[in-house]
Amino acid sequence: TAQQIVDRALALGSVGFQQGQATMRMVLQDARGDVKERALEVRLRRNADGLLQSLIRFQTPAEVAGTAFLMREKKDQLPDQYVYIPAAKVVRRIAAGSATTSFFGSDFSYADLMPPPPADKDKVTLTRLPDTAIGGQPAYVVEIVPHVEGSPYGKVVAYVHTKHLVMLKVEFFDNASKPLKTLVVRKLKKVKDRLLPVDLEMKNLQHGSSTRLILDDIDPDAPLGDADFTEEAMRR
């Protein structure tokens, strides 16, 4: 069903995997074609209750080095999200109303990195559309229409690999039903018998900018615990 497809795809986490430690590059290109690159360290795990925890830390360039973003999923509630800015030496909680804000100047928003709570399933309409192919790969197609006040998107169309249930493409539409952004998986790689997206690109169709996330290295067996996903861990 449409719900099963979405649940399985979302279970992989916001950056395509749900367990381990990885190094990534974020490549930002503005509408003029100017390019900036950032290096990140990403940690993800599910705790004893099966709730996702993630910590993203910027390593370079110098102006963002040490900046960290923490997300902890909560049962039947929106996740807790925090940002640590080294210059201020303070951890700030991200308010729910900031979901549409750009994630550190990228074409991803905080909402794009925030899994919806299970309790919100009745606030979206899921429709299974005819299957198709994306880049030669067979894909399920699911239309997602949120019914939440203040939602940044009027509609989202997700294309999910029929065998591996990994996201291949996502189309985002604004509240006037105009194309807003498109997320495309440029490359998949097998890691421990599972295909993972290792090169993703978010294109802002209205602003002409784009952001690529490139997974350089991943250790799916990295020993991680609750202590690695605290406000104190953000300062380390």
Side-chain angles (χ1 to χ4, degrees):
T1 66
Q3 187 67 63
Q4 290 171 325
I5 294 166
V6 170
D7 287 346
R8 288 288 299 274
L10 289 177
L12 288 175
S14 56
V15 290
F17 65 99
Q18 61 175 337
Q19 173 64 42
Q21 183 167 306
T23 56
M24 303 182 76
R25 282 175 289 141
M26 177 185 282
V27 182
L28 302 98
Q29 181 171 308
D30 64 21
R32 298 186 303 272
D34 296 332
V35 175
K36 294 189 293 186
E37 186 168 314
R38 298 168 178 174
L40 317 164
E41 180 187 75
V42 183
R43 298 174 182 173
L44 290 103
R45 75 184 284 265
R46 290 193 179 273
N47 64 14
D49 297 321
L51 300 174
L52 191 66
Q53 302 171 319
S54 65
L55 178 63
I56 299 174
R57 190 189 313 280
F58 289 86
Q59 297 175 317
T60 61
E63 60 262 30
V64 294
T67 302
F69 168 70
L70 172 67
M71 188 281 294
R72 292 193 302 245
E73 203 173 15
K74 296 166 68 177
K75 186 176 181 181
D76 296 335
Q77 299 179 57
L78 288 172
D80 286 332
Q81 291 183 305
Y82 302 89
V83 169
Y84 172 65
I85 308 296
K89 296 184 178 179
V90 65
V91 174
R92 294 193 177 99
R93 184 170 184 150
I94 299 172
S98 302
T100 60
T101 304
S102 166
F103 180 75
F104 295 100
S106 75
D107 294 288
F108 291 85
S109 69
Y110 285 101
D112 298 333
L113 303 172
M114 186 167 57
D120 280 357
K121 286 182 178 179
D122 62 343
K123 297 179 182 178
V124 298
T125 298
L126 302 179
T127 304
R128 175 94 179 263
L129 303 180
D131 295 353
T132 188
I134 299 293
Q137 300 293 322
Y140 296 125
V141 185
V142 178
E143 181 186 79
I144 305 160
V145 178
H147 307 291
V148 181
E149 186 176 351
S151 171
Y153 308 121
K155 178 177 71 173
V156 175
V157 180
Y159 300 80
V160 180
H161 198 293
T162 58
K163 179 180 178 182
H164 301 285
L165 292 169
V166 63
M167 208 76 75
L168 296 174
K169 180 180 177 181
V170 185
E171 296 171 335
F172 301 87
F173 298 80
D174 65 17
N175 286 296
S177 298
K178 295 179 180 178
L180 176 60
K181 301 192 297 188
T182 300
L183 177 66
V184 175
V185 174
R186 297 166 58 112
K187 184 179 179 181
L188 293 165
K189 180 180 178 180
K190 184 172 282 190
V191 178
K192 291 193 70 173
D193 298 324
R194 171 166 234 134
L195 272 185
L196 297 181
V198 294
D199 188 347
L200 308 93
E201 183 174 32
M202 180 76 87
K203 292 184 177 181
N204 191 312
L205 305 177
Q206 297 184 0
H207 296 161
S209 55
S210 66
T211 302
R212 284 179 69 186
L213 288 177
I214 303 166
L215 186 68
D216 290 319
D217 184 58
I218 180 172
D219 177 6
D221 300 315
L224 299 171
D226 287 338
D228 294 296
F229 302 92
T230 63
E231 291 92 313
E232 181 58 35
M234 298 177 77
R235 298 184 175 95
R236 293 177 197 151

